[in-house]
mmCIF file of all heavy atoms in Angstrom:
data_model
loop_
_atom_site.group_PDB
_atom_site.id
_atom_site.type_symbol
_atom_site.label_atom_id
_atom_site.label_comp_id
_atom_site.label_asym_id
_atom_site.label_seq_id
_atom_site.Cartn_x
_atom_site.Cartn_y
_atom_site.Cartn_z
ATOM 1 N N PRO A 17 -9.315 -19.854 21.047
ATOM 2 C CA PRO A 17 -8.934 -20.438 19.774
ATOM 3 C C PRO A 17 -7.863 -19.568 19.111
ATOM 4 O O PRO A 17 -7.771 -18.374 19.366
ATOM 5 C CB PRO A 17 -10.228 -20.452 18.956
ATOM 6 C CG PRO A 17 -11.062 -19.385 19.562
ATOM 7 C CD PRO A 17 -10.680 -19.308 21.020
ATOM 8 N N ALA A 28 -6.811 -2.931 -2.288
ATOM 9 C CA ALA A 28 -7.498 -2.623 -3.537
ATOM 10 C C ALA A 28 -8.099 -1.228 -3.399
ATOM 11 O O ALA A 28 -8.846 -0.966 -2.450
ATOM 12 C CB ALA A 28 -8.581 -3.656 -3.829
ATOM 13 N N TRP A 40 0.746 7.682 -12.145
ATOM 14 C CA TRP A 40 1.307 8.175 -10.882
ATOM 15 C C TRP A 40 2.008 7.046 -10.128
ATOM 16 O O TRP A 40 3.136 7.219 -9.658
ATOM 17 C CB TRP A 40 0.198 8.786 -10.015
ATOM 18 C CG TRP A 40 0.716 9.466 -8.790
ATOM 19 C CD1 TRP A 40 1.129 10.759 -8.678
ATOM 20 C CD2 TRP A 40 0.911 8.876 -7.499
ATOM 21 N NE1 TRP A 40 1.561 11.013 -7.402
ATOM 22 C CE2 TRP A 40 1.441 9.876 -6.661
ATOM 23 C CE3 TRP A 40 0.696 7.610 -6.983
ATOM 24 C CZ2 TRP A 40 1.749 9.642 -5.324
ATOM 25 C CZ3 TRP A 40 1.006 7.380 -5.646
ATOM 26 C CH2 TRP A 40 1.518 8.381 -4.831
ATOM 27 N N LYS A 58 -11.505 -4.127 -22.268
ATOM 28 C CA LYS A 58 -10.999 -2.870 -21.720
ATOM 29 C C LYS A 58 -10.324 -3.126 -20.377
ATOM 30 O O LYS A 58 -10.846 -3.879 -19.547
ATOM 31 C CB LYS A 58 -12.149 -1.871 -21.550
ATOM 32 C CG LYS A 58 -11.697 -0.508 -21.109
ATOM 33 C CD LYS A 58 -12.823 0.493 -21.126
ATOM 34 C CE LYS A 58 -12.281 1.846 -20.693
ATOM 35 N NZ LYS A 58 -13.295 2.879 -20.694
ATOM 36 N N SER A 63 -2.945 -4.646 -11.259
ATOM 37 C CA SER A 63 -2.234 -5.085 -10.059
ATOM 38 C C SER A 63 -0.824 -4.518 -10.129
ATOM 39 O O SER A 63 -0.121 -4.704 -11.116
ATOM 40 C CB SER A 63 -2.172 -6.611 -9.995
ATOM 41 O OG SER A 63 -3.460 -7.154 -9.836
ATOM 42 N N LEU A 94 4.039 1.809 3.935
ATOM 43 C CA LEU A 94 4.988 0.936 3.251
ATOM 44 C C LEU A 94 6.312 1.051 3.988
ATOM 45 O O LEU A 94 6.859 2.156 4.107
ATOM 46 C CB LEU A 94 5.165 1.353 1.794
ATOM 47 C CG LEU A 94 3.985 1.068 0.863
ATOM 48 C CD1 LEU A 94 2.817 2.000 1.118
ATOM 49 C CD2 LEU A 94 4.430 1.192 -0.561
ATOM 50 N N VAL A 103 14.668 7.976 -0.909
ATOM 51 C CA VAL A 103 13.417 7.613 -1.580
ATOM 52 C C VAL A 103 12.554 8.856 -1.783
ATOM 53 O O VAL A 103 12.003 9.078 -2.865
ATOM 54 C CB VAL A 103 12.651 6.525 -0.786
ATOM 55 C CG1 VAL A 103 11.268 6.289 -1.376
ATOM 56 C CG2 VAL A 103 13.448 5.228 -0.745
#
Side-chain angles (χ1 to χ4, degrees):
W40 187 87
K58 185 173 181 179
S63 294
L94 288 73
V103 172

